[in-house]
Structure formats: C-alpha cells, structure tokens
Amino acid sequence: MKRKRGFYEKFIKRLQDLILSSIALVILSPIFLLIAILVRIKLGSPILFVQERPGLNEKIFKMYKFRTMTDKKDENGELLPDSVRLTKFGKILRATSFDELPELWNIIRGDMAIVGPRPLLVRYLPLYDKDQKRRHEVKPGLSGLAQVNGRNAISWEEKFDLDIKYIDSLCFVNDWKIVLLTFKKVFVREGINSETSITMEPFNGNTKKV
C-alpha cells in the first residue's frame, strides 16, 4: 500500500527546498569557488566526487560532492584504504561538511531534498529488509534525523530506525528542527567518524534478531 503524503510534503516541501537551496548556492558561491581551487591544488583533478546513489523509489541519480581523498593505489593498482587516502585537508572538509555543498545542485535538480534519509550506496539495495527499504519512500536529504542523532557514530540499524521515524512523522516543524540541529552538529563536529572506521563501516546486511 502506497504511503499517503500530507499537504506539506505534497505542496510545500519541494518549493521550499528549491528556494532555499537556490539562495544558498548564490550566497555560498565564493566559498564554492575557494574550496574548488583548494581541492584542485591539494588533491588534483577532478574537483568533484561523483557517485551513483538511489533516490526516491530507488531511482538512481548522480550525487555530487567535493573530493576529500587522493587516488593513491598500491602496487597492484588497487586503491589504498580510506584512512590512507583521506588527507588532512579532506578531514577538514568532512568535519565542516563543506564537502557536501555541491549536493545543493542535486536539490535544485530534484534528486534530493534538504531534509531526508541520507543517500547510501547502490550496492546496499539488495541488503535492505522490508522496513529498511522504506527509506526510499521520500527523497534523500542533505541532512536527516539520523545525522542529528549520531551521524556515523551510531549503528546501521539505529540509522534505519531513525530514517523510518522521520518518514512517519514528516512535517514542516520536524524538518526545521532537523535543519537547526544540523547547524549545531556541524559547529560542534559530532559523529563524524564511527568507532571502527574513518567514516562509517560498510553495511553488510541486516543484523537484527528476528
């Protein structure tokens, strides 16, 4: 059964996202230019990291971010671990979430929203259970309920539970609470890394007890 969307989600959320992301893109354009120059100098080309991610109804789109890693490879031509390729400059971009700024273009294009479950890897799609697949009932977001409640410091199951909670309580007030909490979390730099990984360990399937 298809989820029923409320008035806010149907008529206001997309317009709000389009207006706010367009304004942010204009205001932050000097920062965009500065970061682009620094990425080119410190990490080389390309400036942007482009990767396919699943969005609304699992439709695949190309997500844009600033590069934070080098392309260093081992003697076999394989990429070195993230912890080796992530530079000090890249860590700063991630800690401040400046690497996420190009996703404003994804929001303008309609691939993403300002608030929603974060877009994950395409290869995770077959691993979701029935409840976890519900995260694709809405557009993925620049930030979300999981990001303001632990980000990479919480387990995958906790993240998915928060994604579903967001979807079931989606409204104007909750979206703006998440936006304001996002600014706070970025400022204090909480939850950037998990306990076992430089960012977040890969999702290998559902581990909940049935």
Side-chain angles (χ1 to χ4, degrees):
M1 183 177 176
K2 193 172 181 180
R3 185 179 64 89
K4 187 176 179 180
R5 298 189 301 161
F7 180 83
Y8 166 68
E9 187 179 355
K10 271 186 177 181
F11 302 107
I12 299 176
K13 186 174 171 68
R14 172 56 186 157
L15 180 61
Q16 175 180 267
D17 286 344
L18 185 59
I19 293 172
L20 293 178
S21 56
S22 298
I23 293 172
L25 203 56
V26 172
I27 293 175
L28 297 173
S29 56
I31 296 177
F32 267 80
L33 180 59
L34 177 60
I35 294 175
I37 292 171
L38 290 174
V39 170
R40 181 66 180 84
I41 293 171
K42 294 179 176 294
L43 299 176
S45 185
I47 293 170
L48 294 179
F49 171 74
V50 183
Q51 189 175 58
E52 290 190 335
R53 298 288 176 98
L56 178 64
N57 299 321
E58 299 184 5
K59 181 181 177 181
I60 307 302
F61 70 96
K62 289 183 178 179
M63 188 184 76
Y64 301 94
K65 300 174 70 173
F66 281 120
R67 279 184 66 192
T68 58
M69 296 186 185
T70 67
D71 290 327
K72 289 183 179 178
K73 298 178 181 180
D74 60 21
E75 62 274 9
N76 299 315
E78 299 291 330
L79 287 172
L80 293 172
D82 290 356
S83 58
V84 177
R85 295 188 297 119
L86 184 60
T87 64
K88 183 178 181 180
F89 172 68
K91 289 178 181 179
I92 293 172
L93 287 183
R94 291 193 178 198
T96 57
S97 294
F98 281 160
D99 64 316
E100 310 278 0
L101 289 180
E103 290 170 42
L104 289 170
W105 177 241
N106 285 120
I107 297 172
I108 291 173
R109 284 169 49 93
D111 301 321
M112 294 175 60
I114 291 176
V115 180
R118 284 294 295 164
L120 301 177
L121 299 178
V122 174
R123 65 184 175 89
Y124 293 166
L125 287 175
L127 303 178
Y128 299 144
D129 63 24
K130 184 178 178 181
D131 289 331
Q132 292 165 349
K133 286 175 74 71
R134 289 193 59 208
R135 70 192 319 277
H136 297 292
E137 291 180 2
V138 298
K139 289 181 181 180
L142 185 64
S143 184
L145 190 60
Q147 280 59 56
V148 298
N149 283 280
R151 197 172 173 182
N152 290 326
I154 59 176
S155 70
W156 280 110
E157 283 74 21
E158 289 172 310
K159 281 187 177 184
F160 293 135
D161 287 345
L162 288 167
D163 289 341
I164 302 309
K165 181 179 179 181
Y166 167 76
I167 292 169
D168 289 339
S169 59
L170 199 161
C171 67
F172 176 85
V173 172
N174 287 344
D175 268 8
W176 276 96
K177 283 181 180 178
I178 291 171
V179 168
L180 295 175
L181 282 170
T182 298
F183 283 114
K184 177 186 174 184
K185 295 292 182 179
V186 169
F187 182 75
V188 299
R189 302 182 183 182
E190 290 181 351
I192 298 166
N193 304 322
S194 75
E195 293 181 356
T196 58
S197 174
I198 194 71
T199 52
M200 183 68 185
E201 62 273 3
F203 177 61
N204 295 311
N206 187 30
T207 60
K208 285 184 177 179
K209 294 181 179 180
V210 179

